[in-house]
Amino acid sequence: QVQLVESGGGWVQPGGSLRLSCAASGSIFSFKSMGWYRQAPGKQRDLVAIIASGGTTTYADSVKGRFTISRDNAKNTVYLQMNSLKPEDTAVYYCTALGALRRYWGQGTQVTVSS
């Protein structure tokens, strides 16, 4: 059973930075892609960033130029570096992995951006 465990969320002032980590219980080589979604209160869960097995990255327009997704295959971990954070980035951030047969989700980590 694949497990994804997120960490690194918290509170930060506007303009600040946070780095989220997602550690997978097994090798991430088997995943077609890994990434991050977020869900704000009362809203749907939206894509933030994805990194494919070959390294190709995709970002939501709202985070382009501010967020960077990366992966460390040796540590079975995916990261989301978030810079220049805005109040509208406040949400629960979920790690996700696309396997051969299904998509996996982490439990989520709260990110709050406020002054």
Side-chain angles (χ1 to χ4, degrees):
Q1 180 71 17
V2 173
Q3 288 188 325
L4 304 173
V5 179
E6 302 103 332
S7 61
W11 173 83
V12 64
Q13 292 185 334
S17 298
L18 283 174
R19 188 177 81 154
L20 305 183
S21 299
C22 172
S25 58
S27 173
I28 63 176
F29 278 113
S30 63
F31 297 134
K32 297 179 180 180
S33 67
M34 294 188 71
W36 296 88
Y37 280 67
R38 67 186 180 187
Q39 187 168 21
K43 296 188 176 181
Q44 66 181 20
R45 190 175 296 187
D46 291 326
L47 171 72
V48 177
I50 291 289
I51 184 165
S53 58
T56 302
T57 57
T58 301
Y59 296 93
D61 288 342
S62 59
V63 306
K64 283 180 181 177
R66 300 188 297 124
F67 291 11
T68 302
I69 189 170
S70 62
R71 60 195 292 165
D72 186 332
N73 293 334
K75 295 182 178 180
N76 295 323
T77 300
V78 174
Y79 303 98
L80 184 68
Q81 178 67 44
M82 305 186 293
N83 298 327
S84 302
L85 282 160
K86 305 175 181 179
E88 50 264 43
D89 294 318
T90 295
V92 177
Y93 284 70
Y94 295 92
C95 178
T96 184
L98 180 61
L101 300 177
R102 56 162 290 186
R103 178 173 293 280
Y104 301 90
W105 295 94
Q107 81 285 355
T109 185
Q110 177 71 46
V111 171
T112 302
V113 184
S114 72
S115 54

